[in-house]
């Protein structure tokens, strides 16, 4: 494997619900053809989520290994070998988990962006939801969540080498 | 009329509420200059909807005929002569109607995409709302609707020859 | 100062919550390097809003002066010298204020677009939220707001010389 052929860097895949973000990132990683780590930030609370994760798992090929990281995302990233592509799915669920666990969002975000800024042999794809394009939510918690999500997306986009916006399964390149 | 001059195919016009989707599709059809069929999927429940449809009707020119198809969209498409341009307005209301009537969304979606995949002399424009870019809805029905809408948009986009995303009346070409 | 070097015109900066709209507009004005007027349409109701405005103020440089215009936006625009760049932040809060004060939205929108259509030496940047890309709101007032916001964005975009859509701090040029 040759790290120079596939320059390292973070790739942010942004979009709405059911916009094809995960499938786009998975296709990109399948094209690279190297071992890949799926980092799931979902906490498997209910049947709805369990089915969604099973569908995702069935779609991915034999090169993939999976870890769950509802809170300690950076810990999971550090454990992946440097020549292994990574798919983080998704940042917005991670943020939800951090808020529910009353963690320091600013500190956790900085820890993530610092890790993403370090040189690495294989790429890291990060899926995130854009959640700020609807009507202003009624309650203060949802507004705070929306603000945190927007800031996290901006912070990751600022250091990413590529950013894509997905709609109806089609990517629009915002950066890179 | 010459079918070759205007190659057939589905054109998906995606966007938010009041983003100019219908007006964009209508302008495109007016430019073609051939007879056109407006397929309205709205059920005229209340005064608000009645006024909206009347405004749409007033905006369109004399080449247009209108049919209402709240549920049997493919039936309405099959009835239109093959050399007639069609505007479906809109897929998202059709999906709402299917869910309220407890129809099989997967089967109806496949029926639509199969019809859209067949060769046809004149183009079919389909307006659809992107609804997945706000905060996750509280209730499971709204989340299911959002998932269905996203999947339907992806399925139509995959077979469309052109896809446009509208914002503030301005189109952004995603495909074609 | 040379008005020809920096052609006048309205620049619409559209996007979601925390998408970097204001920062983008501020950077553009800082690059121009001439005195600038920040027209805040926020009514300072609560601590949350007060903090947001203080953060905005701290980010801007010494060339800026600030006025508050929760309702009489065009009055505030008319008072700014013609060679002064203007940042209106934001149209969507202004619309909220107009609705709460039960003003005539159509008349106020026309007053704004008429003023923006006049020749002027320095540019006017207008920040606005796209709010129509989530699930249809439950209540009629929120739906009416969404419709007004979409129409206002379309009206301003139609006369603007540039329109940008921001996501995760990255601009996508829709016009100009």
């Amino acid at each position: 494997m040759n790290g120079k052929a596939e320059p390292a860097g973070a790739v942010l895949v942004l979009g709405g619900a059911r916009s094809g973000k995960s499938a786009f990132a998975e296709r990109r990683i399948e094209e690279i053809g190297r071992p890949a780590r799926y980092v799931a930030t979902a906490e498997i609370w209910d049947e709805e989520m369990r089915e969604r994760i099973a569908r995702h798992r069935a779609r991915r090929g034999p090169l993939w290994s999976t870890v769950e990281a509802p809170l300690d995302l950076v810990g999971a990233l550090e454990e992946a070998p440097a020549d292994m592509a990574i798919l983080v799915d998704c940042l917005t669920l991670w943020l939800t988990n951090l808020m529910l666990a009353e963690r320091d969002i600013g500190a956790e975000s900085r820890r993530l962006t610092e890790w993403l800024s370090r040189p690495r042999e294989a790429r890291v794809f990060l899926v995130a939801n854009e959640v700020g394009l609807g009507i202003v939510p009624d309650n203060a918690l949802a507004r705070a969540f929306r603000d945190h999500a927007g800031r996290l997306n901006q912070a990751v986009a600022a250091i990413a080498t590529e950013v894509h916006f997905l709609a109806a399964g089609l990517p629009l390149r915002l950066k890179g």
Side-chain angles (χ1 to χ4, degrees), chain A:
Chain A
M1 242 166 281
N2 180 358
K4 281 171 197 156
E6 186 55 40
V11 179
L12 179 62
V13 183
L14 201 65
R18 301 293 142 251
S19 62
K21 303 180 297 295
S22 302
F24 172 81
E26 288 167 18
R27 274 198 315 275
R28 286 284 307 271
I29 290 181
E30 297 279 351
E31 285 165 17
I32 297 173
R34 59 162 91 203
R37 171 87 22 112
Y38 183 80
V39 179
T41 58
E43 295 212 83
I44 304 172
W45 286 340
D46 58 13
E47 206 45 42
E48 187 182 335
M49 190 56 83
R50 194 180 305 277
E51 283 171 23
R52 181 168 299 183
I53 286 175
R55 275 200 307 273
H56 273 235
R57 197 169 291 205
R59 194 167 59 190
R60 293 190 300 272
L63 288 169
W64 292 82
S65 58
T66 299
V67 299
E68 285 171 28
L71 289 170
D72 188 16
L73 174 56
V74 177
L77 294 171
E78 282 168 346
E79 278 173 22
D83 63 349
M84 194 176 245
I86 299 176
L87 169 49
V88 177
D89 192 1
C90 74
L91 285 182
T92 316
L93 274 173
W94 176 60
L95 182 64
T96 305
N97 298 336
L98 291 177
M99 284 185 77
L100 290 173
E102 300 187 353
R103 298 291 179 91
D104 181 337
I105 309 290
E108 294 289 341
S109 300
R110 276 189 300 278
R111 226 183 120 206
L112 174 64
T113 51
E114 276 162 23
W115 189 87
L116 291 172
S117 303
R118 288 183 214 154
R120 192 177 185 276
E121 197 180 337
R123 283 198 189 156
V124 182
F125 292 77
L126 303 109
V127 166
N129 279 73
E130 168 61 59
V131 298
L133 289 160
I135 285 284
V136 179
D138 284 333
N139 71 82
L141 189 68
R143 284 199 303 277
F145 173 74
R146 206 167 76 132
D147 286 357
H148 283 307
R151 281 192 209 106
L152 179 59
N153 290 346
Q154 284 193 47
V156 174
I159 57 165
T161 52
E162 285 179 39
V163 180
H164 302 269
F165 184 88
L166 270 278
L170 301 169
L172 198 67
R173 192 176 285 258
L174 292 178
K175 181 179 182 179

